[in-house]
Amino acid sequence: MSPCGNRPNGRYPECVTFPVVGMVGGGQLARMTHEAGIPLGIRFKLLSDTPQDSAAQVVGDVVVGDYRDLDTLRAFAHGCDVITFDHEHVPTEHLRALEADGLPVRPGPDALVHAQDKGVMREKLTAIGVPCPRHRIVSDPADVAAFAAEGARPGQGAAEGDGTGEDDGFPVILKTVRGGYDGKGVWFVRSEAEAAEPFKAGVPVLAEEKVDFVRELAANVVRSPHGQAVAYPVVESRQVDGVCDTVIAPAPDLDEELAGQAQELALRVADELGVVGHLAVELFETRDADGTPKVLVNELAMRPHNSGHWTQDGAVTSQFANHVRAVLDLPLGDPRPRAPWTAMVNVLGGDYPDMYSAYLHCMARDPQLKIHMYGKDVKPGRKVGHVNTYGDDLDDVLERARHAAGYLRGTIVE
Amino acid sequence: MSPCGNRPNGRYPECVTFPVVGMVGGGQLARMTHEAGIPLGIRFKLLSDTPQDSAAQVVGDVVVGDYRDLDTLRAFAHGCDVITFDHEHVPTEHLRALEADGLPVRPGPDALVHAQDKGVMREKLTAIGVPCPRHRIVSDPADVAAFAAEGARPGQGAAEGDGTGEDDGFPVILKTVRGGYDGKGVWFVRSEAEAAEPFKAGVPVLAEEKVDFVRELAANVVRSPHGQAVAYPVVESRQVDGVCDTVIAPAPDLDEELAGQAQELALRVADELGVVGHLAVELFETRDADGTPKVLVNELAMRPHNSGHWTQDGAVTSQFANHVRAVLDLPLGDPRPRAPWTAMVNVLGGDYPDMYSAYLHCMARDPQLKIHMYGKDVKPGRKVGHVNTYGDDLDDVLERARHAAGYLRGTIVE
């Protein structure tokens, strides 16, 4: 990081050596990264789609523009010491162009492609021996049926939800290899006939076995360019309708050996893929034929992640602070928990657009509640915030977080 | 707080009911208040002297202007739901004008005057029975000598530092009633001859006995308009050259009854003076003639305060978050500590303008260290940040904080 490097015309005219972090994307992850960067004394610059985006409301140095346009990206990058991301959608060729301009891009395009393209991710993870669900790129519905049949257990009964009376290997999961999130771009199909939809967009489709999992976990790690890495406790993540609903840290009753394996796996993925910054490894906890617990990798995210929001109030160093430290190649902060239990529950929009009176009520009911609002307009089902609670008693911690999130959404009316 | 009240042209065009807090003053207190307001989802607007001020670097909605100009204040206040402060310097008549415009000003001018004018503060505290050092407004050096003589103990030896061999009541403390801070506007005088300087500015001067204190404490409370109030643990505050250096929470070995008295005293001051927001009551711990511990009020500050910075990492709810909640009349957050001990040490500028490599070293040495930088240029003796540490062992907690602050300043070179 060269002092006063390439920022002659920026917002910071004085010759300071504290670097400028440029973040692409104005969502809540950028908002919370800026929040975490303030005490670190770093300068934060944002590329946002609109001036009303969640992060753009609270950041001082905002460029409004389209990250898909290379000239916009280049103009934004002028004055930044490093570029990082709120989302995975910046085209790989643009990232390479920025790198060719001499600007550090973290995570870099060679790592990020594994979070952008599920086909590339599966291929790489399999090559390095990381356990994944059975998977294959499929070309049409007949190929989906063939993929399903490869997983059928002859002589066994049909899987649940299948009407044929014989195991044909369905259901399977189909995913577009790029662009999906929060259940979008993902289909649960029970027959060849149901498998037509995903192919309509003309993009590559990945088929995966439907894993009979015990629960979902996430192993979150942070890695810096020179290879320092820290691992957060493995958490349990509960989804509702394909959207993360609740995270519990640490995952209750998790086999200690499995927890260690999951952390090691995530650290190995970060290292093998050359990830810089926060890496969320979403996992299925399942059982071997002999009942031994094991994990399979579901998804990767190379940025702060919903499964790490609990760290804001529950860990010594939050995922956001450690992401900033990592992309600047600063020494990483302690990832250990500050309380025996921390719970995070997402706040989704309900039918009533004004959340302020519910928010006031929640503060009055629970003075220890940690509310994190994103500054977004309330729309039904939209993530507009989350709450964190922590304490010694898991039931109490969970009840408080669920009550607050439900009350804010309007599904609990005391 | 009326939905979409008076902000038709602001930064937030959508009809949201989350309010806009306007803060006057762009220093580090505003910077950290903005940081605390981000998760609360409130909108934050800043009136700053320059675009380079500590807070102006990180806030989205900044008006650059002079708070001493009423038109500037009024233009700034347009679009805000409440006005609060980073400092006490806004003229009282301007605050009254804003109130007359219908805008909530918190703390209001009737409360704030007690933090602006030490003469008014002493008169009021004495009237409500709050123990203060012996004090009186003095008119000239001869009057100072008379004030000193009123405190002389006849037949006793001279106080330390006095060369006369007889107790003439000196030394005494002289303070300009307005405008002093961090040791500025304060004189320690040992004789009538030394008492000339403070009168040269032609402003009222307050004389106070030099209290023979055991140590300095601070009792910090937060009060909301409808009268809810919370008290933080009483802390020990150590000054070096009149500037706060170290804060320890809670104050070690503090008599439990005295701690309770100090908290009650601070809550009573907040209530009697009608304070809204954070109130820091700086105290001298001393002893009665019979050896009973007691406290005397030294100073008041009606805003987040250096003695409360430890709450960012050491309390369930920080002073900054609770200040925001109070000025919006939201329910207050839990003020209890999260660790047995928390220490805060200020980072002052040293001779070397580049603190970044020292900062990196401190992070590597102590992954649990919480650094808070203010984005200020380093100048010798200037407060440019602070560090917080917490843990079970006070010696360790203090050593870590002192080492980091000293290393950043350059007075410790490992």
Side-chain angles (χ1 to χ4, degrees), chain A residues 57-392:
Chain A
Q57 295 170 17
V58 299
V59 172
D61 198 357
V62 180
V63 173
V64 174
D66 186 345
Y67 61 84
R68 293 166 299 188
D69 178 67
L70 181 56
D71 289 341
T72 300
L73 270 178
R74 279 198 162 121
F76 165 71
H78 181 73
C80 294
D81 293 297
V82 61
I83 297 293
T84 188
F85 311 96
D86 167 90
H87 58 66
E88 289 100 352
H89 307 321
V90 182
T92 302
E93 62 272 22
H94 290 1
L95 301 180
R96 293 204 194 285
L98 293 178
E99 280 195 327
D101 293 345
L103 192 72
V105 172
R106 293 171 176 167
D110 291 336
L112 199 60
V113 67
H114 300 94
Q116 293 175 315
D117 188 308
K118 297 182 207 299
V120 175
M121 181 265 283
R122 287 290 179 227
E123 190 175 355
K124 176 71 177 180
L125 293 187
T126 304
I128 65 174
V130 168
C132 292
R134 192 172 68 83
H135 60 274
R136 173 154 77 68
I137 297 287
V138 285
S139 54
D140 55 36
D143 197 18
V144 174
F147 170 80
E150 288 157 25
R153 293 155 300 170
Q156 299 218 359
E160 197 187 348
D162 183 22
T164 64
E166 200 175 316
D167 186 10
D168 55 4
F170 280 102
V172 301
I173 310 293
L174 299 181
K175 299 175 175 178
T176 54
V177 296
R178 281 183 177 255
Y181 67 99
D182 278 357
K184 292 172 186 67
V186 179
W187 293 263
F188 176 87
V189 300
R190 279 164 296 191
S191 65
E192 183 176 333
E194 282 184 16
E197 184 68 25
F199 296 95
K200 288 185 178 162
V203 296
V205 175
L206 179 74
E208 296 183 352
E209 67 171 315
K210 187 192 168 295
V211 175
D212 184 23
F213 59 82
V214 178
R215 58 176 167 178
E216 293 187 64
L217 303 172
N220 291 343
V221 298
V222 184
R223 182 176 175 275
S224 63
H226 76 276
Q228 191 197 1
V230 294
Y232 286 100
V234 175
V235 299
E236 176 174 337
S237 169
R238 298 182 185 170
Q239 322 286 316
V240 174
D241 300 332
V243 179
C244 176
D245 179 80
T246 301
V247 170
I248 304 169
D253 302 318
L254 181 61
D255 180 87
E256 209 169 302
E257 199 178 315
L258 189 64
Q261 285 170 17
Q263 288 182 312
E264 279 169 34
L265 178 157
L267 289 167
R268 191 151 65 83
V269 169
D271 188 52
E272 294 265 10
L273 274 54
V275 177
V276 170
H278 188 267
L279 168 71
V281 180
E282 296 185 83
L283 299 163
F284 295 123
E285 180 181 352
T286 179
R287 296 283 180 268
D288 256 341
D290 67 357
T292 311
K294 65 171 186 174
V295 290
L296 300 175
V297 172
N298 181 16
E299 304 274 1
L300 302 182
M302 293 182 197
R303 49 169 170 76
H305 187 257
N306 205 158
S307 62
H309 289 358
W310 70 274
T311 60
Q312 293 175 301
D313 301 296
V316 175
T317 313
S318 79
Q319 65 165 346
F320 299 102
N322 261 340
H323 184 77
V324 169
R325 289 162 77 146
V327 301
L328 291 171
D329 209 7
L330 286 166
L332 300 178
D334 191 333
R336 281 178 296 179
R338 288 195 68 175
W341 298 105
T342 303
M344 188 288 313
V345 178
N346 279 323
V347 176
L348 303 188
D351 295 328
Y352 190 58
D354 178 10
M355 223 172 243
Y356 195 68
S357 56
Y359 163 92
L360 193 151
H361 169 93
C362 290
M363 287 187 177
R365 183 180 194 267
D366 183 358
Q368 295 173 58
L369 181 71
K370 308 308 283 186
I371 300 185
H372 298 263
M373 301 301 293
Y374 305 156
K376 291 180 169 181
D377 274 358
V378 172
K379 290 176 189 167
R382 186 187 203 188
K383 277 188 201 169
V384 296
H386 67 271
V387 294
N388 286 334
T389 53
Y390 55 82
D392 299 332

Side-chain angles (χ1 to χ4, degrees), chain A residues 11 14 17 31 34 38-40 43 56-60 313 316 334 338 354 359 367-368 370-371 373 377, chain B residues 11 14 17 31 34 38-40 56-60 313 316 334 338 354 359 367-368 370-371 373 377:
Chain A
R11 192 179 168 95
E14 293 159 358
T17 52
R31 179 184 177 100
H34 174 55
I38 292 174
L40 293 173
R43 321 277 173 149
Q57 295 170 17
V58 299
V59 172
D313 301 296
V316 175
D334 191 333
R338 288 195 68 175
D354 178 10
Y359 163 92
Q368 295 173 58
K370 308 308 283 186
I371 300 185
M373 301 301 293
D377 274 358
Chain B
R11 193 179 167 96
E14 292 160 358
T17 52
R31 179 184 176 100
H34 174 55
I38 292 173
L40 292 173
Q57 295 171 17
V58 299
V59 171
D313 301 296
V316 176
D334 191 333
R338 288 195 70 175
D354 178 9
Y359 161 93
Q368 295 174 58
K370 308 308 284 188
I371 300 186
M373 301 302 292
D377 273 359

Side-chain angles (χ1 to χ4, degrees), chain B residues 45-122:
Chain B
K45 189 175 175 183
L46 185 76
L47 180 61
S48 181
D49 288 345
T50 81
Q52 285 81 44
D53 281 15
S54 176
Q57 295 171 17
V58 299
V59 171
D61 197 357
V62 181
V63 173
V64 174
D66 186 345
Y67 62 83
R68 293 166 299 189
D69 177 65
L70 181 56
D71 289 342
T72 301
L73 271 178
R74 279 199 162 120
F76 166 70
H78 180 74
C80 294
D81 292 298
V82 61
I83 297 294
T84 189
F85 312 96
D86 167 90
H87 59 65
E88 290 99 354
H89 308 320
V90 182
T92 303
E93 62 272 23
H94 289 2
L95 301 181
R96 293 204 194 285
L98 293 179
E99 281 195 327
D101 292 347
L103 193 72
V105 172
R106 293 170 177 168
D110 292 335
L112 200 60
V113 68
H114 301 94
Q116 293 174 315
D117 188 307
K118 298 182 206 300
V120 174
M121 182 265 283
R122 286 291 179 227

Side-chain angles (χ1 to χ4, degrees), chain B residues 213-225:
Chain B
F213 59 82
V214 177
R215 60 176 166 177
E216 293 187 65
L217 304 172
N220 292 343
V221 297
V222 184
R223 183 176 174 276
S224 63

